[in-house]
Amino acid sequence: APAMFTSSIDHVIPLPRTVEPRAGAGFTLGADTVIVVATTDDQARWIATYLADVIGLAAAPQPPRVEAAGEAIPAGAIVLELSGPANPSSPNGGTGIESHEGYEMTVTPERVTIRAPQPAGLFYGVQSFRQLLPPFTEYQAVRPNKARPVTAPAVRIVDEPRFGWRGAMLDVSRHFFPVSAVKRYLDLMSLYKLNRLHLHLADDQGWRIEIKSWPNLAAHGGQTQVGGGAGGFYTQEQYADLVRYAAERFVTIVPEIDMPGHTNAALASYAELNCDGVARPLYTGTEVGFSALCVDKEITYAFIADVVREIAALTPGAWFHIGGDEVKTLTPEQYVRFIERVQAIVHAQGKQMIGWDEIAPAALLPTSVVQHWRPKTTPAEAVAKGARVIMSVASRAYLDMKYDSTTAIGLSWAGLVDVSTVYDWDPATVADGVPESALLGVEAPLWSETLATMEDVEFMAFPRLIARAEVGWSRPEARDWNLFKQRLGAHGPRLTALGVNFHRSVQVPWQH
Ligand code: TNX
């Protein structure tokens, strides 16, 4: 018999809730493999096509056919099935799945069945199935040697996430990254079941989204970046395309316009936003804290209302991030008044406000969210007032920190952050008074002062974003660094096949 090349069921990341190995042979992809969509749901059909694309060329000369369910399910089928709405009082088929992102998957020699209450769960089941296949499946080329069968091991997985917010943040302001790069980031996030992409769209060094009522923001404020390079911005059509691409992958885009600080690009684009009425020069350095909108001028709020309205109209997700960090030129009273006015503007556009943890002293609406980032502070005060928290504490979550003292790019103000530092902690025990129930979830920010290319982005994000994905998805009592580093090591060849410029951290026993 030919040697079987299969991936181990232990290698699925994030670690599923339950994994039961089944005795005997697994499921082998072949020329007769067909993907059957046992529902008329459009998203489920899209997911089937996506799966065919991902596994297609490795399986056979042609990607598997996608079919609607007929009288009988053919042999050798991968079946995608929606099993009714997520409802805690009627456990789905006895699986106990409560999350709309949960799924159940059974792999036998005859067929693969992925069943979920909602399309998001089907998508995540597909990601787990993908990881059961050998890493070379990820090469987007026809495989020259078909002698080795592509096989997934026999298993039953029942899975759902711990947190509903499993985010990544990309700073496209300090350096601009084009639409194609953001799509690539979304593709890689999907493999590890992340579901929020927070885009840091404006900072001192660049305004990165077209605003039709204030066209100079992008046209002038978007034309440079750190180091003096050309910068750039997304047109509204491009941003809408990103939102759509993300939504197909069950990722919600969270737009951030940082204010009142981090606003030099806006202050350079419109003289009237400055208290002295004089436009600032464009900025290409990396200092923080020097810029602020003129919080006592009415035009500032008209400006913000226009910006929030235009971006909110393009953003189906529930959230608008207003930044609010590192303001060094206003009094505490000016700052709090500003945040409360902006919160009302965001609310009036039907969005929930998110801000960095500095916003905590403001009177927050129950829907507002605090993103905790400063290691020396605690979000307990905001939680006591009813706010919910996204956990991004820099010393554990910042993907722009150097891995170790030899890392050529990145910063180190929050310490060195190697893979184990990202993995080996529990977001629900970071701070007294911030229990799991106060957490929306976790997010890993990637600031781009020192990252000029997508290769740089990948080097800092991988493999740490993968560790972060497991922190957000898997149960804390089942997580173990010593096991994780082995499982992560097995993803080396998969990342290589995907062309990811990942950092070969010495903490991880990488497979070849
Ligand atoms: C702090 S995190 C900042 C950013 C920097 C980052 C660099 C936060 C809310 N503000 O402006 O890019 O540190 O690590």
Side-chain angles (χ1 to χ4, degrees), residues 171 174 203 262 288 325-326 356 373 398 400-401 411 413 447 449:
D171 173 7
R174 271 56 175 272
D203 210 304
H262 291 274
V288 296
D325 58 313
E326 297 180 313
W356 298 105
W373 70 280
Y398 270 28
D400 62 316
M401 294 298 118
L411 305 175
W413 66 262
W447 300 99
E449 285 96 328

Side-chain angles (χ1 to χ4, degrees), residues 343-369:
Q343 176 175 252
I345 291 170
V346 170
H347 192 67
Q349 291 300 329
K351 298 299 180 193
Q352 303 178 23
M353 182 180 80
I354 306 177
W356 298 105
D357 59 43
E358 285 95 329
I359 69 166
L364 299 176
L365 291 168
T367 52
S368 291
V369 176

Side-chain angles (χ1 to χ4, degrees), residues 146-169:
K146 301 275 177 175
R148 307 182 311 182
V150 178
T151 298
V155 69
R156 178 164 187 268
I157 292 177
V158 179
D159 198 11
E160 65 182 337
R162 177 183 183 189
F163 292 115
W165 190 289
R166 304 178 305 280
M169 187 211 86

Side-chain angles (χ1 to χ4, degrees), residues 186-426:
L186 284 162
D187 284 338
L188 294 171
M189 286 170 61
S190 301
L191 176 56
Y192 297 102
K193 305 187 175 86
L194 295 166
N195 69 355
R196 305 278 184 263
L197 180 61
H198 165 183
L199 290 174
H200 186 75
L201 290 166
D203 210 304
D204 292 321
Q205 297 87 346
W207 186 285
R208 305 301 181 202
I209 182 162
E210 175 193 17
I211 302 295
K212 293 192 194 284
S213 55
W214 297 74
N216 282 350
L217 291 170
H220 182 70
Q223 65 183 312
T224 190
Q225 60 183 358
V226 167
F233 63 88
Y234 308 124
T235 65
Q236 293 202 352
E237 291 67 26
Q238 287 174 323
Y239 177 82
D241 179 44
L242 276 178
V243 166
R244 206 167 30 241
Y245 191 88
E248 285 175 342
R249 287 154 185 78
F250 300 89
V251 176
T252 302
I253 297 286
V254 180
E256 177 187 355
I257 298 295
D258 204 345
M259 59 181 102
H262 291 274
T263 41
N264 188 76
L267 298 170
S269 303
Y270 286 97
E272 58 268 44
L273 296 177
N274 296 272
C275 287
D276 61 8
V278 179
R280 296 297 181 262
L282 292 171
Y283 181 69
T284 61
T286 59
E287 295 300 313
V288 296
F290 61 88
S291 60
L293 293 172
C294 192
V295 297
D296 296 326
K297 266 191 181 175
E298 272 317 296
I299 191 170
T300 297
Y301 300 94
F303 160 75
I304 294 168
D306 287 338
V307 168
V308 173
R309 176 175 40 75
E310 290 196 30
I311 296 176
L314 297 165
T315 308
W319 300 278
F320 190 98
H321 200 307
I322 60 123
D325 58 313
E326 297 180 313
V327 179
K328 297 180 182 163
T329 61
L330 303 179
T331 66
E333 296 70 32
Q334 280 180 311
Y335 176 80
V336 162
R337 261 202 316 276
F338 174 85
I339 296 296
E340 290 168 0
R341 266 190 91 167
V342 173
Q343 176 175 252
I345 291 170
V346 170
H347 192 67
Q349 291 300 329
K351 298 299 180 193
Q352 303 178 23
M353 182 180 80
I354 306 177
W356 298 105
D357 59 43
E358 285 95 329
I359 69 166
L364 299 176
L365 291 168
T367 52
S368 291
V369 176
V370 171
Q371 185 163 12
H372 179 52
W373 70 280
R374 291 175 299 173
K376 294 191 179 107
T377 65
T378 158
E381 181 199 337
V383 170
K385 291 197 295 185
R388 285 161 313 151
V389 172
I390 297 167
M391 191 54 81
S392 294
V393 65
S395 50
R396 297 287 192 177
Y398 270 28
L399 303 181
D400 62 316
M401 294 298 118
K402 291 176 184 288
Y403 289 89
D404 59 41
S405 61
T406 69
T407 311
I409 49 178
L411 305 175
S412 56
W413 66 262
L416 299 171
V417 179
D418 212 331
V419 189
S420 64
T421 309
V422 175
Y423 186 80
D424 210 3
W425 67 297
D426 183 5

